[in-house]
Amino acid sequence: MNIVVIGKSGQLAHEIMRLAGDDSVHCLGRDDINILDAVNLASVLNRFQPEGIINASAYTGVDKAESDQTNAYALNQTAVANLATYSKQNHCHLVHVSTDYVFGGDKGSPYQVDDNYHPQGVYGASKAAGEKALLDIYPQASCILRTSWVYASHGNNFVKTMLRLMAEKQELGVIDDQIGSPTWARDLAKACMYAIKNQVSGVHHWTDNGVASWYDFAVAIQSLALEKGLLTHAIPIKPIPSSAYPTPAKRPHYSVLDKSTLASEFSALVPQYWRKALSDMLDELT
């Protein structure tokens, strides 16, 4: 299959390329295509004649978005609308990656795919706007995959930051009142490729199985890293409330995503438990 991935430098695109196999996968970054310019976007994509497009690009600076609203909406809404319009006009399937931040985090139980949007900041609001644009323009042959807490051996993410801090610091304080599901980018990449190749449509949630706080996640990172020789000694990790670490953007306190639609639409894929995925990812760093 001929597939174009938008978002060349990100950890998800990196994992998709590793899974390409016999498929022809082309990753395009900002130096290759201007997704904010519909004319340039069409001109570049026409060279590849894609059967499917995976949008792995986004404005992901959650805190920076609070003071950079124009650019956040440009990448998270306008660019998505442009990709949806092109895909509709050229009859190619579109998979778009979204986020748990479109929800408020105050429901107290896992979010269903059709729950109402209630973003807490500009990042979440701009991602919700992108989802709405896609659903308005091209619902019949597009798939929205919401995910959360993505990490990989490639790029910058929570896991690699924790490993660095654990090697440098005498102790760490990590937030324990934000609950979600860590997700290995490799597993998310498999879901994206499955959705493209099987022409899955609609809104779905993909994360690794299980739930954790950021504190739980950090404790697991240290424990597994010690087992694998990535760290030489343990340091104290203390649970702290969000109020002790104020940020420009408010984070959802409980943003676990319900994955019940996967049984029918992604029947050949079963998310693995997040701690097993973390162990597999850390093996790549040894």
Side-chain angles (χ1 to χ4, degrees):
M1 190 171 181
N2 191 23
I3 301 165
V4 166
V5 179
I6 307 294
K8 187 176 186 176
S9 61
Q11 52 193 2
L12 177 56
H14 182 79
E15 295 297 341
I16 290 171
M17 285 298 295
R18 295 174 70 182
L19 294 172
D22 294 333
D23 297 298
S24 179
V25 179
H26 313 276
C27 284
L28 304 179
R30 65 186 65 187
D31 293 335
D32 307 307
I33 187 170
N34 181 0
I35 55 177
L36 300 180
D37 181 335
V39 174
N40 177 267
L41 181 149
S43 174
V44 173
L45 290 179
N46 284 341
R47 293 182 219 149
F48 296 94
Q49 295 291 303
E51 299 165 80
I53 298 172
I54 299 173
N55 183 28
S57 70
Y59 188 107
T60 57
V62 176
D63 290 322
K64 187 180 178 184
E66 294 300 305
S67 58
D68 193 23
Q69 184 169 330
T70 299
N71 286 323
Y73 272 89
L75 281 172
N76 292 343
Q77 179 186 28
T78 304
V80 178
N82 289 342
L83 287 166
T85 300
Y86 176 87
S87 298
K88 182 177 182 179
Q89 292 172 345
N90 293 273
H91 311 290
C92 54
H93 203 75
L94 175 61
V95 172
H96 172 63
V97 180
S98 193
T99 173
D100 56 331
Y101 276 56
V102 300
F103 299 121
D106 52 0
K107 181 183 175 185
S109 61
Y111 282 93
Q112 308 291 317
V113 294
D114 57 356
D115 277 342
N116 292 330
Y117 296 116
H118 187 211
Q120 298 295 294
V122 171
Y123 166 68
S126 64
K127 290 293 289 184
E131 287 191 15
K132 292 175 187 176
L134 176 52
L135 292 171
D136 284 344
I137 296 168
Y138 196 39
Q140 64 271 32
S142 64
C143 175
I144 293 172
L145 281 180
R146 295 192 190 116
T147 191
S148 64
W149 298 22
V150 180
Y151 65 90
S153 58
H154 173 83
N156 299 316
N157 51 68
F158 181 80
V159 176
K160 293 174 75 176
T161 297
M162 286 297 103
L163 289 173
R164 176 176 57 80
L165 293 176
M166 288 166 184
E168 296 173 354
K169 302 287 187 181
Q170 304 255 323
E171 67 175 38
L172 283 178
V174 182
I175 290 169
D176 72 342
D177 59 359
Q178 294 174 19
I179 310 296
S181 298
T183 305
W184 187 18
R186 174 75 59 83
D187 293 335
L188 179 59
K190 290 177 181 177
C192 289
M193 290 293 283
Y194 185 94
I196 279 287
K197 298 180 80 167
N198 292 278
Q199 306 223 325
V200 177
S201 61
V203 182
H204 304 281
H205 293 161
W206 181 278
T207 67
D208 286 327
N209 279 333
V211 301
S213 68
W214 290 110
Y215 168 77
D216 298 329
F217 197 12
V219 169
I221 292 166
Q222 177 168 255
S223 175
L224 289 167
L226 287 167
E227 288 179 16
K228 298 172 187 296
L230 291 167
L231 294 172
T232 59
H233 62 279
I235 63 170
I237 304 174
K238 298 181 178 180
I240 62 172
S242 298
S243 58
Y245 189 73
T247 56
K250 185 179 179 183
R251 268 72 170 168
H253 279 290
Y254 186 92
S255 60
V256 177
L257 300 174
D258 179 271
K259 299 190 289 289
S260 56
T261 65
L262 299 183
S264 58
E265 299 296 332
F266 291 79
S267 56
L269 290 182
V270 178
Q272 61 179 326
Y273 181 56
W274 69 263
R275 189 179 170 109
K276 172 64 168 64
L278 173 62
S279 178
D280 290 346
M281 175 275 197
L282 290 174
D283 285 338
E284 295 186 353
L285 299 178
T286 58

